Amino acid sequence: KAGVTQTPRYLIKTRGQQVTLSCSPISGHRSVSWYQQTPGQGLQFLFEYFSETQRNKGNFPGRFSGRQFSNSRSEMNVSTLELGDSALYLCASSLDARAYEQYFGPGTRLTVT
Amino acid sequence: GENVEQHPSTLSVQEGDSAVIKCTYLDSASNYFPWYKQELGKGPQLIIDIRSNVGEKKDQRIAVTLNKTAKHFSLHITETQPEDSAVYFCAASRAGGGADGLTFGKGTHLIIQP
């Protein structure tokens, strides 16, 4: 069974631009979570989606948003990019609303210049 | 302060020796404690987890222990091998399905010396 896939793997953007990242969960998984990983702050929870609904959101500004489609694929968007948004963005999938295990994809490395 | 504290930040052990990484959590409502291994250029890989109704879990050379009273949990790796070199993260959450989000420790860089 294929794992979590994320596209693109690498991205370079300029301050003020916006970016959209994509995540396809493990086949059959319906919950998708997003995390930001930086050297200074470590791994931080962004938000989680199940059945196209955002169930929880971490402590990030409104510039960070996401959505989930009926096939469980998810996208996250960051508007008005800042230098501090440079990070590895990780997507994780879980089987359903009650499964505990989360499986991560390889991440998208975003660099903001 | 940090909701999940992890120690040490760097651990160097001789190949074949054991390695222990410790975490402490603050939220008494936490009931799920996974451990992840992250290699360079890759996403975190779930290697073992434990729920609050269990005190210990073992999978081959890897074991995790949980002390709910002290709010401590630890990762034990025995007979370490070069491929165990990586960054290890502990985490905690209160609910399944990712609804609560995982709160991660800052990570431990494990170095296996040949």
Side-chain angles (χ1 to χ4, degrees):
Chain A
K1 185 182 283 191
V4 177
T5 57
Q6 294 186 243
T7 57
R9 292 293 312 278
Y10 303 91
L11 205 50
I12 300 174
K13 290 287 188 178
T14 305
R15 272 180 303 176
Q17 288 185 316
Q18 74 164 15
V19 66
T20 299
L21 312 181
S22 180
C23 171
S24 292
I26 293 170
S27 178
H29 283 201
R30 297 172 60 198
S31 168
V32 174
S33 299
W34 288 88
Y35 292 81
Q36 181 195 64
Q37 185 175 26
T38 60
Q41 298 301 316
L43 281 150
Q44 293 184 290
F45 172 69
L46 279 158
F47 30 66
E48 186 265 355
Y49 288 87
F50 177 77
S51 289
E52 302 177 63
T53 300
Q54 185 183 94
R55 295 195 296 169
N56 199 5
K57 182 175 168 62
N59 188 26
F60 280 83
R63 299 185 298 104
F64 292 81
S65 63
R67 59 178 176 168
Q68 186 181 34
F69 303 95
S70 59
N71 62 358
S72 296
R73 191 177 69 85
S74 177
E75 290 180 347
M76 67 163 283
N77 183 79
V78 187
S79 61
T80 318
L81 284 166
E82 300 177 359
L83 294 179
D85 297 334
S86 295
L88 181 67
Y89 290 90
L90 294 157
C91 168
S93 76
S94 292
L95 181 62
D96 55 36
R98 299 184 64 180
Y100 282 81
E101 296 84 358
Q102 292 189 46
Y103 300 94
F104 283 83
T108 293
R109 172 72 64 185
L110 172 65
T111 302
V112 182
T113 63
Chain B
E2 298 293 332
N3 289 323
V4 177
E5 291 193 359
Q6 182 172 347
H7 298 282
S9 57
T10 303
L11 178 60
S12 180
V13 302
Q14 290 293 125
E15 182 179 349
D17 287 350
S18 296
V20 180
I21 303 171
K22 298 181 179 182
C23 287
T24 302
Y25 61 98
L26 294 179
D27 187 354
S28 57
S30 297
N31 62 2
Y32 175 63
F33 308 92
W35 285 88
Y36 286 86
K37 174 185 180 182
Q38 188 174 26
E39 296 174 294
L40 203 59
K42 298 184 178 180
Q45 175 194 0
L46 179 64
I47 57 173
I48 196 166
D49 57 10
I50 192 167
R51 299 189 193 183
S52 59
N53 59 348
V54 176
E56 184 175 358
K57 184 177 178 181
K58 188 174 181 180
D59 182 5
Q60 298 182 19
R61 296 186 297 109
I62 295 174
V64 58
T65 59
L66 171 65
N67 182 330
K68 287 174 54 181
T69 303
K71 296 182 187 173
H72 291 169
F73 59 112
S74 300
L75 176 71
H76 304 252
I77 305 175
T78 59
E79 300 173 12
T80 52
Q81 301 169 2
E83 54 265 36
D84 294 330
S85 293
V87 179
Y88 291 80
F89 293 95
C90 64
S93 77
R94 292 177 292 173
D100 181 47
L102 291 169
T103 299
F104 283 88
K106 291 295 191 184
T108 296
H109 185 193
L110 177 61
I111 302 165
I112 308 300
Q113 302 280 5

